[in-house]
Amino acid sequence: MRIAITRPVSPSIVECQLTFQERQPIDFDLANQQHRDYEQCLVALGCKLDRLPAEPDLPDAVFVEDTAVVLGEVAILMRPGAESRRPEVRSVAEKLKTYRRLLRIEPPGTMDGGDVLCVGRQIFVGRSRRTNAAGIAQLQNLVQDYGYCVQAVEIRDCLHLKSAVTQVGRDTLLIDPTRVDPAGFEDFNRIETDPGEHHAANALLVGETVIYPRVHVRTRQRLENYGITIRTVNISELAKAESGVTCSSLVFES
Ligand code: GLY
């Protein structure tokens, strides 16, 4: 069964972490509605929703992707780079232990799940403001016995690796070449984002379908020209919290 772990938007989202974006007003009610629509999209694509308890005092708690990486064999609990986000991990651990054996990134390592792109047995990890060398070395040690290979990737001017590159097909990646060097992904088919669209590389592959922000119409056309099936969502409010479509769920086979 395909599981999607999500969490309600916190009313304190207006105090979220921001790294590359200016703070803008977030319409909390609209953010909630959009998040519910996103959850319904996951359900329509065959996911069983497993919702975490709300964390009203943790502004970024809706962005569950950053708290864990779920592989087929184990889950790795992250140690988020932003200290304010570390308390989010506790309830995620409680939930994930019903699905997987748990491993974790320990101090001094830091890592956000948004920096971790798993494609088959290859795990790309962005060197970012949130993910440090100690975290990457730990991840390599934790997963190598399961047959995974970890590769560090340089990124530019964006929060996470998955702001710059995501998986949109079994062997196909969507890449923003202004944020990450496409040459680092030469084993894959690569679709580049439209040069006029920023923050357009974050897509969420669920089964054979890609969940994608409605706003990026030209990059969407590129994906469709490639034969990729798209379902669009409006994430205008959480995008103001520096989010994409991968950030608000952890999707895996139980
Ligand atoms: N607001 C999402 C993050 O910075 O982690």
Side-chain angles (χ1 to χ4, degrees), residues 53-89:
E55 291 277 16
D57 298 328
L58 298 178
D60 288 291
V62 64
F63 304 128
V64 294
E65 171 186 56
D66 290 320
T67 59
V69 170
V70 185
L71 302 176
E73 303 83 356
V74 286
I76 302 99
L77 300 174
M78 300 286 100
R79 183 165 179 268
E83 207 169 334
S84 69
R85 301 204 54 192
R86 292 185 190 150
E88 297 171 24
V89 178

mmCIF file of all heavy atoms in Angstrom, residues 53-89:
data_model
loop_
_atom_site.group_PDB
_atom_site.id
_atom_site.type_symbol
_atom_site.label_atom_id
_atom_site.label_comp_id
_atom_site.label_asym_id
_atom_site.label_seq_id
_atom_site.Cartn_x
_atom_site.Cartn_y
_atom_site.Cartn_z
ATOM 1 N N PRO A 53 -0.026 14.464 14.095
ATOM 2 C CA PRO A 53 -0.715 15.475 14.908
ATOM 3 C C PRO A 53 -0.249 16.879 14.541
ATOM 4 O O PRO A 53 0.910 17.072 14.144
ATOM 5 C CB PRO A 53 -0.298 15.131 16.347
ATOM 6 C CG PRO A 53 0.886 14.240 16.217
ATOM 7 C CD PRO A 53 0.830 13.573 14.886
ATOM 8 N N ALA A 54 -1.160 17.840 14.675
ATOM 9 C CA ALA A 54 -0.794 19.238 14.427
ATOM 10 C C ALA A 54 0.278 19.663 15.421
ATOM 11 O O ALA A 54 0.347 19.154 16.542
ATOM 12 C CB ALA A 54 -2.024 20.122 14.564
ATOM 13 N N GLU A 55 1.111 20.591 14.995
ATOM 14 C CA GLU A 55 2.152 21.177 15.870
ATOM 15 C C GLU A 55 2.004 22.688 15.763
ATOM 16 O O GLU A 55 2.790 23.355 15.076
ATOM 17 C CB GLU A 55 3.555 20.760 15.410
ATOM 18 C CG GLU A 55 3.902 19.310 15.611
ATOM 19 C CD GLU A 55 4.384 19.009 17.034
ATOM 20 O OE1 GLU A 55 4.158 19.846 17.940
ATOM 21 O OE2 GLU A 55 4.985 17.944 17.219
ATOM 22 N N PRO A 56 0.977 23.251 16.444
ATOM 23 C CA PRO A 56 0.649 24.667 16.225
ATOM 24 C C PRO A 56 1.808 25.621 16.484
ATOM 25 O O PRO A 56 1.886 26.682 15.860
ATOM 26 C CB PRO A 56 -0.491 24.932 17.224
ATOM 27 C CG PRO A 56 -0.949 23.600 17.688
ATOM 28 C CD PRO A 56 0.117 22.602 17.417
ATOM 29 N N ASP A 57 2.735 25.222 17.379
ATOM 30 C CA ASP A 57 3.820 26.142 17.740
ATOM 31 C C ASP A 57 5.094 25.918 16.925
ATOM 32 O O ASP A 57 6.110 26.572 17.181
ATOM 33 C CB ASP A 57 4.137 26.006 19.234
ATOM 34 C CG ASP A 57 2.938 26.377 20.078
ATOM 35 O OD1 ASP A 57 2.157 27.259 19.649
ATOM 36 O OD2 ASP A 57 2.757 25.763 21.147
ATOM 37 N N LEU A 58 5.056 25.002 15.993
ATOM 38 C CA LEU A 58 6.237 24.756 15.148
ATOM 39 C C LEU A 58 5.902 25.243 13.741
ATOM 40 O O LEU A 58 5.181 24.580 12.982
ATOM 41 C CB LEU A 58 6.598 23.265 15.144
ATOM 42 C CG LEU A 58 6.992 22.671 16.501
ATOM 43 C CD1 LEU A 58 7.287 21.182 16.379
ATOM 44 C CD2 LEU A 58 8.202 23.405 17.088
ATOM 45 N N PRO A 59 6.400 26.421 13.371
ATOM 46 C CA PRO A 59 5.938 27.087 12.142
ATOM 47 C C PRO A 59 6.071 26.265 10.866
ATOM 48 O O PRO A 59 5.211 26.312 9.991
ATOM 49 C CB PRO A 59 6.817 28.351 12.077
ATOM 50 C CG PRO A 59 7.249 28.606 13.473
ATOM 51 C CD PRO A 59 7.346 27.262 14.125
ATOM 52 N N ASP A 60 7.164 25.494 10.759
ATOM 53 C CA ASP A 60 7.442 24.787 9.501
ATOM 54 C C ASP A 60 7.001 23.321 9.526
ATOM 55 O O ASP A 60 7.377 22.553 8.641
ATOM 56 C CB ASP A 60 8.942 24.855 9.197
ATOM 57 C CG ASP A 60 9.386 26.248 8.761
ATOM 58 O OD1 ASP A 60 9.004 26.659 7.652
ATOM 59 O OD2 ASP A 60 10.089 26.928 9.532
ATOM 60 N N ALA A 61 6.204 22.937 10.534
ATOM 61 C CA ALA A 61 5.925 21.511 10.753
ATOM 62 C C ALA A 61 5.179 20.841 9.606
ATOM 63 O O ALA A 61 5.241 19.621 9.456
ATOM 64 C CB ALA A 61 5.159 21.323 12.058
ATOM 65 N N VAL A 62 4.462 21.629 8.794
ATOM 66 C CA VAL A 62 3.757 21.019 7.649
ATOM 67 C C VAL A 62 4.747 20.409 6.649
ATOM 68 O O VAL A 62 4.396 19.493 5.909
ATOM 69 C CB VAL A 62 2.848 22.080 6.962
ATOM 70 C CG1 VAL A 62 3.649 23.212 6.354
ATOM 71 C CG2 VAL A 62 1.971 21.436 5.891
ATOM 72 N N PHE A 63 5.986 20.861 6.676
ATOM 73 C CA PHE A 63 6.969 20.420 5.673
ATOM 74 C C PHE A 63 7.660 19.136 6.135
ATOM 75 O O PHE A 63 8.860 19.102 6.425
ATOM 76 C CB PHE A 63 7.965 21.541 5.387
ATOM 77 C CG PHE A 63 7.295 22.809 4.938
ATOM 78 C CD1 PHE A 63 7.573 24.022 5.551
ATOM 79 C CD2 PHE A 63 6.345 22.790 3.918
ATOM 80 C CE1 PHE A 63 6.944 25.192 5.159
ATOM 81 C CE2 PHE A 63 5.705 23.951 3.516
ATOM 82 C CZ PHE A 63 6.001 25.151 4.136
ATOM 83 N N VAL A 64 6.864 18.073 6.205
ATOM 84 C CA VAL A 64 7.328 16.819 6.805
ATOM 85 C C VAL A 64 8.479 16.179 6.025
ATOM 86 O O VAL A 64 9.235 15.383 6.582
ATOM 87 C CB VAL A 64 6.164 15.817 6.941
ATOM 88 C CG1 VAL A 64 5.145 16.320 7.944
ATOM 89 C CG2 VAL A 64 5.487 15.549 5.596
ATOM 90 N N GLU A 65 8.599 16.509 4.751
ATOM 91 C CA GLU A 65 9.677 15.931 3.953
ATOM 92 C C GLU A 65 11.048 16.126 4.593
ATOM 93 O O GLU A 65 11.935 15.269 4.470
ATOM 94 C CB GLU A 65 9.698 16.584 2.563
ATOM 95 C CG GLU A 65 10.916 16.198 1.746
ATOM 96 C CD GLU A 65 11.010 16.947 0.434
ATOM 97 O OE1 GLU A 65 11.009 18.196 0.441
ATOM 98 O OE2 GLU A 65 11.081 16.281 -0.597
ATOM 99 N N ASP A 66 11.212 17.248 5.287
ATOM 100 C CA ASP A 66 12.548 17.575 5.798
ATOM 101 C C ASP A 66 12.943 16.769 7.029
ATOM 102 O O ASP A 66 14.092 16.837 7.457
ATOM 103 C CB ASP A 66 12.625 19.078 6.120
ATOM 104 C CG ASP A 66 12.603 19.894 4.850
ATOM 105 O OD1 ASP A 66 13.254 19.485 3.874
ATOM 106 O OD2 ASP A 66 11.916 20.929 4.826
ATOM 107 N N THR A 67 11.993 16.019 7.592
ATOM 108 C CA THR A 67 12.261 15.351 8.869
ATOM 109 C C THR A 67 12.760 13.921 8.715
ATOM 110 O O THR A 67 13.253 13.352 9.693
ATOM 111 C CB THR A 67 10.989 15.321 9.733
ATOM 112 O OG1 THR A 67 9.975 14.612 8.992
ATOM 113 C CG2 THR A 67 10.511 16.728 10.048
ATOM 114 N N ALA A 68 12.598 13.339 7.531
ATOM 115 C CA ALA A 68 12.972 11.919 7.379
ATOM 116 C C ALA A 68 13.157 11.563 5.914
ATOM 117 O O ALA A 68 12.579 12.202 5.036
ATOM 118 C CB ALA A 68 11.901 11.018 7.991
ATOM 119 N N VAL A 69 13.945 10.524 5.705
ATOM 120 C CA VAL A 69 14.069 9.919 4.375
ATOM 121 C C VAL A 69 13.640 8.465 4.527
ATOM 122 O O VAL A 69 14.191 7.738 5.371
ATOM 123 C CB VAL A 69 15.525 10.005 3.866
ATOM 124 C CG1 VAL A 69 15.721 9.171 2.612
ATOM 125 C CG2 VAL A 69 15.899 11.462 3.607
ATOM 126 N N VAL A 70 12.645 8.061 3.772
ATOM 127 C CA VAL A 70 12.117 6.702 3.909
ATOM 128 C C VAL A 70 12.584 5.868 2.718
ATOM 129 O O VAL A 70 12.226 6.155 1.568
ATOM 130 C CB VAL A 70 10.578 6.714 3.987
ATOM 131 C CG1 VAL A 70 10.066 5.294 4.245
ATOM 132 C CG2 VAL A 70 10.090 7.666 5.082
ATOM 133 N N LEU A 71 13.398 4.877 3.002
ATOM 134 C CA LEU A 71 13.852 3.943 1.968
ATOM 135 C C LEU A 71 13.025 2.663 2.076
ATOM 136 O O LEU A 71 12.219 2.516 2.999
ATOM 137 C CB LEU A 71 15.339 3.637 2.176
ATOM 138 C CG LEU A 71 16.272 4.855 2.160
ATOM 139 C CD1 LEU A 71 17.714 4.425 2.467
ATOM 140 C CD2 LEU A 71 16.216 5.572 0.814
ATOM 141 N N GLY A 72 13.235 1.735 1.160
ATOM 142 C CA GLY A 72 12.462 0.500 1.199
ATOM 143 C C GLY A 72 12.707 -0.289 2.474
ATOM 144 O O GLY A 72 11.805 -0.934 3.010
ATOM 145 N N GLU A 73 13.937 -0.226 2.978
ATOM 146 C CA GLU A 73 14.327 -1.079 4.114
ATOM 147 C C GLU A 73 14.271 -0.375 5.456
ATOM 148 O O GLU A 73 14.006 -1.010 6.486
ATOM 149 C CB GLU A 73 15.767 -1.573 3.912
ATOM 150 C CG GLU A 73 16.012 -2.334 2.617
ATOM 151 C CD GLU A 73 16.279 -1.441 1.402
ATOM 152 O OE1 GLU A 73 16.203 -0.196 1.529
ATOM 153 O OE2 GLU A 73 16.557 -1.989 0.319
ATOM 154 N N VAL A 74 14.610 0.892 5.499
ATOM 155 C CA VAL A 74 14.731 1.645 6.757
ATOM 156 C C VAL A 74 14.283 3.086 6.514
ATOM 157 O O VAL A 74 14.156 3.522 5.366
ATOM 158 C CB VAL A 74 16.199 1.713 7.271
ATOM 159 C CG1 VAL A 74 16.663 0.407 7.858
ATOM 160 C CG2 VAL A 74 17.134 2.215 6.192
ATOM 161 N N ALA A 75 14.063 3.797 7.613
ATOM 162 C CA ALA A 75 13.861 5.250 7.507
ATOM 163 C C ALA A 75 14.977 5.938 8.276
ATOM 164 O O ALA A 75 15.391 5.459 9.345
ATOM 165 C CB ALA A 75 12.504 5.647 8.072
ATOM 166 N N ILE A 76 15.461 7.038 7.739
ATOM 167 C CA ILE A 76 16.514 7.797 8.412
ATOM 168 C C ILE A 76 15.913 9.102 8.896
ATOM 169 O O ILE A 76 15.433 9.910 8.091
ATOM 170 C CB ILE A 76 17.715 8.076 7.476
ATOM 171 C CG1 ILE A 76 18.299 6.770 6.954
ATOM 172 C CG2 ILE A 76 18.803 8.860 8.215
ATOM 173 C CD1 ILE A 76 17.862 6.376 5.600
ATOM 174 N N LEU A 77 15.926 9.287 10.209
ATOM 175 C CA LEU A 77 15.430 10.545 10.772
ATOM 176 C C LEU A 77 16.477 11.618 10.551
ATOM 177 O O LEU A 77 17.670 11.393 10.807
ATOM 178 C CB LEU A 77 15.143 10.382 12.262
ATOM 179 C CG LEU A 77 14.101 9.318 12.609
ATOM 180 C CD1 LEU A 77 14.012 9.144 14.118
ATOM 181 C CD2 LEU A 77 12.734 9.689 12.043
ATOM 182 N N MET A 78 16.043 12.750 10.086
ATOM 183 C CA MET A 78 16.952 13.850 9.804
ATOM 184 C C MET A 78 17.255 14.631 11.094
ATOM 185 O O MET A 78 16.560 14.516 12.101
ATOM 186 C CB MET A 78 16.333 14.792 8.775
ATOM 187 C CG MET A 78 16.010 14.140 7.448
ATOM 188 S SD MET A 78 17.468 13.798 6.414
ATOM 189 C CE MET A 78 17.760 12.058 6.709
ATOM 190 N N ARG A 79 18.285 15.440 11.017
ATOM 191 C CA ARG A 79 18.557 16.444 12.054
ATOM 192 C C ARG A 79 18.549 17.771 11.304
ATOM 193 O O ARG A 79 19.585 18.191 10.766
ATOM 194 C CB ARG A 79 19.892 16.179 12.738
ATOM 195 C CG ARG A 79 20.188 17.128 13.868
ATOM 196 C CD ARG A 79 21.331 16.625 14.748
ATOM 197 N NE ARG A 79 21.575 17.599 15.790
ATOM 198 C CZ ARG A 79 22.450 18.593 15.714
ATOM 199 N NH1 ARG A 79 23.229 18.734 14.643
ATOM 200 N NH2 ARG A 79 22.571 19.453 16.711
ATOM 201 N N PRO A 80 17.363 18.415 11.216
ATOM 202 C CA PRO A 80 17.244 19.585 10.342
ATOM 203 C C PRO A 80 18.280 20.659 10.659
ATOM 204 O O PRO A 80 18.645 20.886 11.829
ATOM 205 C CB PRO A 80 15.817 20.067 10.609
ATOM 206 C CG PRO A 80 15.075 18.835 11.021
ATOM 207 C CD PRO A 80 16.074 18.051 11.829
ATOM 208 N N GLY A 81 18.715 21.326 9.599
ATOM 209 C CA GLY A 81 19.740 22.351 9.760
ATOM 210 C C GLY A 81 19.251 23.555 10.543
ATOM 211 O O GLY A 81 20.053 24.221 11.221
ATOM 212 N N ALA A 82 17.975 23.863 10.471
ATOM 213 C CA ALA A 82 17.427 24.983 11.252
ATOM 214 C C ALA A 82 17.011 24.449 12.624
ATOM 215 O O ALA A 82 16.172 23.548 12.717
ATOM 216 C CB ALA A 82 16.226 25.585 10.530
ATOM 217 N N GLU A 83 17.600 25.020 13.669
ATOM 218 C CA GLU A 83 17.343 24.496 15.012
ATOM 219 C C GLU A 83 15.851 24.500 15.349
ATOM 220 O O GLU A 83 15.344 23.570 15.995
ATOM 221 C CB GLU A 83 18.129 25.323 16.031
ATOM 222 C CG GLU A 83 18.466 24.530 17.253
ATOM 223 C CD GLU A 83 19.458 25.241 18.145
ATOM 224 O OE1 GLU A 83 20.245 26.067 17.653
ATOM 225 O OE2 GLU A 83 19.399 24.967 19.358
ATOM 226 N N SER A 84 15.135 25.530 14.886
ATOM 227 C CA SER A 84 13.701 25.642 15.192
ATOM 228 C C SER A 84 12.914 24.453 14.661
ATOM 229 O O SER A 84 11.796 24.189 15.093
ATOM 230 C CB SER A 84 13.130 26.926 14.574
ATOM 231 O OG SER A 84 13.106 26.828 13.160
ATOM 232 N N ARG A 85 13.491 23.715 13.714
ATOM 233 C CA ARG A 85 12.761 22.614 13.079
ATOM 234 C C ARG A 85 13.049 21.252 13.718
ATOM 235 O O ARG A 85 12.379 20.273 13.411
ATOM 236 C CB ARG A 85 13.063 22.592 11.571
ATOM 237 C CG ARG A 85 12.668 23.891 10.882
ATOM 238 C CD ARG A 85 12.410 23.723 9.429
ATOM 239 N NE ARG A 85 11.433 22.668 9.202
ATOM 240 C CZ ARG A 85 11.163 22.141 8.021
ATOM 241 N NH1 ARG A 85 11.787 22.589 6.964
ATOM 242 N NH2 ARG A 85 10.271 21.181 7.884
ATOM 243 N N ARG A 86 14.039 21.203 14.605
ATOM 244 C CA ARG A 86 14.416 19.884 15.146
ATOM 245 C C ARG A 86 13.303 19.229 15.969
ATOM 246 O O ARG A 86 13.139 18.007 15.904
ATOM 247 C CB ARG A 86 15.722 19.999 15.927
ATOM 248 C CG ARG A 86 16.860 20.293 14.958
ATOM 249 C CD ARG A 86 18.228 20.320 15.547
ATOM 250 N NE ARG A 86 19.132 20.857 14.526
ATOM 251 C CZ ARG A 86 20.229 21.544 14.764
ATOM 252 N NH1 ARG A 86 20.603 21.773 16.015
ATOM 253 N NH2 ARG A 86 20.966 22.001 13.768
ATOM 254 N N PRO A 87 12.498 19.984 16.713
ATOM 255 C CA PRO A 87 11.420 19.316 17.478
ATOM 256 C C PRO A 87 10.359 18.647 16.594
ATOM 257 O O PRO A 87 9.571 17.847 17.092
ATOM 258 C CB PRO A 87 10.796 20.464 18.292
ATOM 259 C CG PRO A 87 11.832 21.538 18.319
ATOM 260 C CD PRO A 87 12.583 21.415 17.032
ATOM 261 N N GLU A 88 10.345 18.970 15.302
ATOM 262 C CA GLU A 88 9.355 18.338 14.406
ATOM 263 C C GLU A 88 9.595 16.830 14.279
ATOM 264 O O GLU A 88 8.675 16.071 13.946
ATOM 265 C CB GLU A 88 9.444 18.947 12.996
ATOM 266 C CG GLU A 88 9.110 20.415 12.908
ATOM 267 C CD GLU A 88 9.437 20.986 11.527
ATOM 268 O OE1 GLU A 88 9.476 20.229 10.544
ATOM 269 O OE2 GLU A 88 9.657 22.208 11.442
ATOM 270 N N VAL A 89 10.836 16.417 14.534
ATOM 271 C CA VAL A 89 11.223 15.037 14.206
ATOM 272 C C VAL A 89 10.590 14.018 15.163
ATOM 273 O O VAL A 89 10.299 12.880 14.773
ATOM 274 C CB VAL A 89 12.765 14.906 14.196
ATOM 275 C CG1 VAL A 89 13.209 13.482 13.909
ATOM 276 C CG2 VAL A 89 13.372 15.871 13.166
#
